[in-house]
Amino acid sequence: MRRKASLTACAFVLSALAIHPRLGAQVVDKDSTPRDPHAVQPERPTVATHAGTVARGWVELEEGGEWDKATDGTRTFFAPTNLKIGLASRAQLNLLVNLFYDHAILGGPLAAGDITVGVKYRIVDDDRILGDFAILPAVKLPTASQDGAG
């Protein structure tokens, strides 16, 4: 059943890409504003991560924060962190780690979770259908301590 659904999904995507623009596919004119390779490009993995990469030799730190309160009144803090380093005009290194404080699990100070290392590589720029398209293969390393942080 799962294989059949996967094949159906692949067929749907391929047929959608094959539609001629005059038959219903929308082609959006490219923005005439020149792209600044040094502009900050925040990523929103819960919504959609763009295909842009950090300029070669540049470093960008993206940090978030979330406070939660459980029904018993205990509080936890979670801070997803993404360090992006420009490797080439189309590639960036991503180092991701989650910082958090949960007194119930850790019983103490702020802790770091496992580290994820990935390289985002932009395959296509300004394609008529895909726009900018990139891949981001990554590996999660078990670097957190055994006290509940990993």
Side-chain angles (χ1 to χ4, degrees), residues 95-111:
L95 301 171
L96 300 107
V97 65
N98 294 320
L99 305 174
F100 57 92
Y101 174 82
D102 186 339
H103 188 71
I105 296 173
L106 305 171
L110 195 65

Side-chain angles (χ1 to χ4, degrees), residues 11-114:
F12 177 75
V13 169
L14 291 174
S15 63
L17 292 175
I19 296 173
H20 192 278
R22 292 187 195 130
L23 299 177
Q26 293 183 358
V27 177
V28 178
D29 291 332
K30 184 178 182 230
D31 185 1
S32 61
T33 307
R35 183 181 298 171
D36 180 2
H38 303 121
V40 174
Q41 300 179 64
E43 297 181 2
R44 303 291 182 254
T46 57
V47 179
T49 300
H50 59 78
T53 54
V54 175
R56 181 176 181 219
W58 285 68
V59 176
E60 192 173 298
L61 176 66
E62 192 167 321
E63 184 73 44
E66 174 181 324
W67 283 100
D68 294 317
K69 183 178 178 182
T71 54
D72 65 357
T74 59
R75 294 185 179 270
T76 58
F77 174 73
F78 171 72
T81 304
N82 186 4
L83 181 67
K84 301 179 278 188
I85 302 168
L87 300 177
S89 62
R90 295 176 160 269
Q92 78 180 27
L93 175 67
N94 284 39
L95 301 171
L96 300 107
V97 65
N98 294 320
L99 305 174
F100 57 92
Y101 174 82
D102 186 339
H103 188 71
I105 296 173
L106 305 171
L110 195 65
D114 295 334

